[in-house]
Amino acid sequence: MRDKTRLPFIDKIVLWLNCFFCFALLISYLAPVVDPRKAWLIAFFGLAYPLLVVGCIIFIVYWLFRKPWYASVSLITIALGWGILKNNVAFHSSSNDPLKPKDNGTIRMMTYNVHNFKRYGAKNDTSTKKEILQIINAQQPDIIGFQEFYSRNHGQYDMLDSLVKIMGSAYYYFKPIFFNRTEAIGIAIFSKYPIIRMGTIPISDTKSENACLYIDVKKDNKEFRVYSVHLQSIRFDPEDYKYLSEVSAQGKTDMSSTRRLGSKLKIAFIKRSIQVDKIKKHAAQCPYPYIISGDFNDTPTSYTVNQMSKGLKNAFREKGFGFGRTYNGDFPNYQIDYIMVSPQFDVDNYTVIEKRLSDHYPVRSDLILSDRP
């Protein structure tokens, strides 16, 4: 008589694959706490976290139709990482309104990697620049941090002048990284509140677009600090993006290209862990409440984001909705732009404005600065 408890061959194969995905998912749970400088391979599992979760969900569906009890393998594995899941997915739908008017009692914070005010991979075009400025004008942020900010000294690409007009304020701090006599690219913060001091934190080479600057501002009788960061980029070349597109479209891979991409990711993981240490040490000495915002170039399951968020409120986790995807370029679309605040702030709302202009979406959050220490 045939043993009915034995799994058919195809189910055995699926079970082994299921166990492999669950094991990889468990390793990804280490990514937020293991420094890439000590074990860089684990960071790759953290990067793969969304795909691993989706894979486990597919296995759950499969087993529900075949052997329902086996679905518990993936269910338990996902449940063990519940805290990490909440960093990646949020459900506060009521506040995810890109057209929400600003309340006068809040501080509207925005961060936007504008990719030099042009579409990714394209040359400058005035329509893209105009649409980006229209978004900022419609949102009317009190403070906005820019990464990959571009400006010329005169003409229609004098973005410093354009932003001063939109903000209705001449308070800004622009740190040029690449510049000549007529134009400059760097990182910037614009504020409607008076800037009482400003500075930079050296986190990379002087000629690197990856930088961190801060301003101390005064709103009424309250002072607070705003950091704008652009952490280590992966620095993919056009050939890397071409390879990723081919893999996505045709499923074809080659070891040489894969190793090249892996090496660049490894370097970026390690450099970001060093940069986060520097920023957190600086922030720990800040005498005021503070905001850290910008392009972290890393995902919610990463060591970078986990370390940066320690002791802070992540605006996405507090009031976000969905996956919070902020990157829309050729690399797999993740949440890599963040707004984080010290405990003296309350997060009123959070939204990602899904307007595909730069390779990043702008992120906005309305914050309330309380009187508690």
Side-chain angles (χ1 to χ4, degrees), residues 124-191:
N124 292 93
D125 67 277
T126 56
S127 63
T128 299
K129 177 208 70 169
K130 182 179 179 181
E131 288 185 72
I132 290 175
L133 292 178
Q134 286 174 345
I135 289 174
I136 299 166
N137 188 49
Q139 295 296 322
Q140 280 299 310
D142 295 310
I143 302 173
I144 180 167
F146 290 101
Q147 302 82 47
E148 299 184 25
F149 183 88
Y150 172 78
S151 186
R152 293 178 183 168
N153 293 343
H154 306 286
Q156 62 178 332
Y157 273 93
D158 184 349
M159 305 310 295
L160 292 172
D161 180 66
S162 297
L163 266 298
V164 164
K165 290 177 180 177
I166 287 175
M167 298 289 286
S169 165
Y171 301 118
Y172 69 85
Y173 180 27
F174 174 43
K175 179 69 174 178
I177 306 298
F178 307 105
F179 56 90
N180 55 36
R181 289 181 295 177
T182 61
E183 58 188 357
I185 299 172
I187 185 169
I189 309 180
F190 288 76
S191 172

Side-chain angles (χ1 to χ4, degrees), residues 47-67:
L47 185 64
Y49 171 83
L51 299 177
L52 295 172
V53 171
V54 170
C56 285
I57 291 173
I58 292 172
F59 286 119
I60 289 172
V61 174
Y62 176 87
W63 289 121
L64 287 176
F65 286 97
R66 299 285 296 174
K67 301 281 186 180

Side-chain angles (χ1 to χ4, degrees), residues 323-370:
F323 293 98
R325 183 172 65 108
T326 67
Y327 184 72
N328 62 73
D330 292 332
F331 195 62
N333 303 137
Y334 289 122
Q335 177 185 177
I336 62 173
D337 303 85
Y338 304 85
I339 296 174
M340 298 179 181
V341 298
S342 60
Q344 299 92 334
F345 287 94
D346 292 319
V347 180
D348 183 62
N349 59 64
Y350 171 94
T351 192
V352 177
I353 302 163
E354 296 187 2
K355 186 72 172 177
R356 194 165 187 173
L357 297 167
S358 161
D359 55 339
H360 292 248
Y361 294 133
V363 178
R364 183 212 75 202
S365 183
D366 291 346
L367 309 168
I368 303 168
L369 180 56
S370 69

